[in-house]
Amino acid sequence: MSANPKWAMIIDTTRCVGCLACVAACHNQNELPMTEYFNRIEEQEFGHFPNYNRRFTPMQCQHCDNPPCVGVCPTGASYKRDDGIVAVDIKKCIGCKYCILSCPYNARVVNDEHGYVHKCSFCAGLLGKDDLPACVGTCPTGVRVFGDLNDPNSEISKLAATKKTVQIGKDLNTRPSIYYIIG
Amino acid sequence: MGNHQIKRTQTLREIYWNYLITFYLFSAGISAGAMIVSIAADFINPAKYVSVVRAGAYIAPFPIMAGMVGLVFDLERPWLFWLLLTTFQYKSIMSVGAWIISLFSGVSIVYFIINLPKDYLKLKSKTGTVNTIKLSGFVLSTCVALYTGLLLSTLTARPLWNTPMIPVLLFISAIIDGLAAISLVLCLKRGGWGGAPNETDFSHSFITKVDFTLLYFLSLATAIFLIGMGRSTESAVSALAVVTGGGFSVSFWIGFVAAGIVIPFIAAAYELFAKVKTHKPWLSFISATLALLGGYIVRSVIIDAGQLTKTILY
Amino acid sequence: MRAAAGSALASGLAAGTLSCSTERAAGVRPDASKIPTQCQGCGANRCGIYVYVKNGRVWKADGNPKTYNNAGTVCPRGHAYIQDIYNPDRIKQPLKRTDKGTYEPITWEQAFEEISTKLNLLIMDDGPQSVFWIQYPMANMPLAFRFMHALGSPNTITHGATCFTARNAAFNATCGGLPDNDLKNSRYIIMVGRNPAGGVKLQQIRDIAEAKRKGARLVVLDPRHSETAVMADDWLAVRPASDLAFLLAMINVIIEEGLYDHKFVEEHTIGFDSLRDEIVTYPPEWAEKICDIPKETIYRIAREFAFNKPRALIHRGYHGGYGAGYLNSFQTARAVAIANFLIGNYERVGGLFMPLKPTLGELEKGGHPAPAIPDVEKADGAGVPGRYPTASYSDGIAHAVPELALAGKLKAGFVYHMNPVRTNPNPARVIAGYKKLELLVTIDCVMSETAALSHYVLPESFFLERDDHVDTVHSGPVAQLTMVQQVVKPMYDTKPLLEIITGLSRGLGIGKYFNFTMDELNDLRLRPFGVTLDELKKGGVIEVGPRWEEGFKPCKTPSGKIEFYSSQLEAWGLDPMPRWQEPLVAPDSSDKNSFRLLHGKQAIHTHSMTANVPYLMELSSRYDMIRLWINRKRAEAIGLKDGDTAVVESDIGKGTVRVRLTDGLHPSAVWMPSGYGIFSKYLTTAYGKGINYNDFLDTYFDPAVGHIMSNEIIVRVAKA
Ligand code: SF4
Ligand code: SF4
Ligand code: SF4
């Protein structure tokens, strides 16, 4: 970990089997109500029998470097931290849902009980203690690689340098911190 | 046959902003529109169009106040609405808008008062102050009318909204709605506030001319919007399809295009070209009601369909 | 939302003061404690996990990085199942069935007394062999053996015959045991119907992913594009029930082209010559007409497989494909074993190897003599020549129980951690059978379908509320010990299995066999390894014994070698070598509504056990997973659109289910996820959601192994 980390994730969709372990792990980690979630798996099918394939794409907050959700927030509840994590200060959130509508990744949800908006925080509370985000640690196929892009020796920095990755929705100028290997 | 592809995803909720937001945008439009029309009429000929000026001034403060109540109750945490006004987030259209609307409300109330027959504020003689109020009222109402569209058009996540034509459409529509509101008031208050016996006829013909022009521009803007979206990205095309061909098509074509544009336009054209000189309240009433209906419906369609359709990312 | 907003006013304000930001809420709270235990979310893998407890409440689970089966990861069921401790449907005290069919709470004392009195009478009348015990095989299965043997009954049964016995029997016949797959080091992996990403085995998908990163190729032979196939280089959409044809053709190519490991075959196998003589009948040109895989592909796969020898393998399989699926499953599994061993991958890195299973210490060593194994044949005929000779003695034949009950051969039974009424074929028949029993006792945490038929229901403590047996399930290239360790205090008046059995044993006059505590038992189990129970409880896993090493070790077959040709099978009147065998049934190709019904697991469900876990069921509906898969073209031909409701009907049953249209399924089959169709009204989350393949399956017994042949179902599918 570098002195001023920049957290990021690489998601290798070619290894995602859609098992939903990451979804369930996130659910417990963040003590979410049953129907709310921070991450999800999208499925695509290609081709005609028997020339056919599927792809599972894990989706969650992309921790954009240019986060529309932060820009639109009228109270400053949504903010971007120096380490790249986009966070919500739920004390300031009035529940206008503008950020939800502004997010191209559909990453934000309303907490039904209290009315604030919340979302993936890269498990910020776990970081910096040699702990990984819950979804990363539980993935059986190692789809998710998490780490500090400012640390040249981190696994993610090395992977980012050697693998071809894409940022989803790049042309929306969001500059996501999640990079995908599409295969 | 091409490459066959299916995508399966989940969405927690589709609609986050409901009719309260539609109502909020609609009422803000009426207020801003009424104010703009009133001040414009005042600049052109305050004596001749005194009824337009006054009706507009009397309308302006109120719809937006109701709209604000709607907005507050659309919040998931309405009891925290005051947080909106404890900060100024210059990047957030909503934050900027909240401040503009607050200022607008203040100015519109002052404008309302100075247009009352009695000079409560003792301003009649201070032309400079009054002109400042009118000018700032004009600027603020323009901002409010623009705000309702910009609030939507700046979201790249929503292809239906993310087009510069949305603020144009909503701006023109706001003025038409303000005009329609004024027209309705004049149908109810026969004779208006003018001294001359034919004052309502003057006011009415002013309204008709402006209405005709604006409806003409609204239809152009709508056409440009439809053509532009239809020839845009996959996201835009599929978003548009939901509006023009999907579950919203009846609302859009009948509610907005027919009732909100075509019929009022024909009515205005008839009055203009048939050289109808006298005010026919029944005709104005129908035409104005339809215009308002169209104004509400187009916002409702845009708000709902805009939320149902998302930018296709991959 | 609106309604909630108003009422949430007060609580919302309170929440604002409690936690200030999302990231705080997401963090580990300092007061959370972390206790190692073993997951019971599926029963099969029993992954090593840490369970976190916060303010006295179970919070979350993390994988134990050291355990073989999961290595730090946890599947969705594991995450969700820990929360099931709070499921309102749990049984809170012993229950007794009333005459009206309802249940009344009773004390443990009353339960023990009444059950043992009734059982004593039955044993007096019908003998102890009329009693059976059926359970999912877990670390505490030896207790069941002990209990049944003490009573004098040989009838301990697992779910095996409904799951994997054909595979086990075939590997036993070929190499004398069930090997494991060294996927991680393999360069060429073929999965025949096996889908570890759905029927989750975390270590296997992890290793496949790792092998792929190192450049391995993955071939998935499966009528359905399984979740494992997502990672595959080749998906071969085989016609269901014809995997055997594909494998025979592969063997044909490997032998005909001389691609096998000559030295290995010569030194360590018997029967190669007979195999070579016969296999000429099965060239790819023959197979392609049966299995729908083009001959060029079969040639290519066989060659690629052999070229990568010995670091190539065909996964040993589990349920899918040939665990217990078809009439030809036993021979299919034999062909899998033979194709593997022809390339000499036995006990090789990157091939198949015999897992190291540590031998646990025994109770006898602590002065607790074991009861003698009763000298009677098992009622179900498992392992009995002339009946089901290749069936496993310790697994028995689960779905024979209702038949034996109806025939009056079984009178009383204990069902533990299993739900045969839902998981055995033809529910009407199973219900009739289990109802016929004069005494049925179910030990479970919830009112399963079987519990809801029982005379007595005894609530076991949830796994987080009890200690259980030291376990050897994490045995692969290294032997590991793990255990279920208590994490929180029991919430209700429940007991761990040992206490339940001990309680029963007293009134049955076999108390002397159950005069030890769980700690004493575990101490004895650990004794041979020089490890203490405390050490195990602290770390959650302990590695014991040497690591696996490459190199041939004599097989536990009669010849001590790999048996391509099995004289033992011949002596039992079975095919000594795999030969093509038609499946029992086939869909009517002239009827556009006729399909074979296949089934399989989704990663979020275990058998019938997790459908009632609210969060998992929430995932099922959020991801719209309670659907029947059907080939898109065939569905369109019968007027079905994606998401439509279809009627499915076989000779046995009828039901409705929504369909998922896909190009990822062989046209001759429909595929049903297997975890749904709960009909016990006591399971409030799961009740009435979805249907189950058992509703359509007739009761069959494979003539050699006795397995259920769970894919021998023809259904008619039509638009509802
Ligand atoms: S845990 Fe890994 S493999 Fe499973 S769905 Fe999540 S990212 Fe995909
Ligand atoms: S993904 Fe959405 S919520 Fe996350 S930072 Fe980007 S815009 Fe904001
Ligand atoms: S990083 Fe944490 S909060 Fe974000 S999706 Fe993963 S588990 Fe959930």
Side-chain angles (χ1 to χ4, degrees), chain A residues 3 11-12 18 29 72 74 95-96 136 143 149 161 166 177 180:
Chain A
I11 293 182
D12 182 353
Q29 171 68 39
V72 302
C96 72
V136 175
V143 164
L149 276 183
V166 297
S177 295
Y180 287 84

Side-chain angles (χ1 to χ4, degrees), chain A residues 15-22 41 58 139-141 143-144:
Chain A
R15 299 288 175 270
C16 179
V17 295
C19 70
L20 304 181
C22 50
I41 306 296
C139 175
T141 51
V143 164
R144 298 157 178 272

Side-chain angles (χ1 to χ4, degrees), chain C residues 75 92 102 148 160 269 320 452 551 610 685:
Chain C
C75 83
K92 303 178 177 73
T102 56
M148 283 291 109
T269 70
T610 57
T685 295

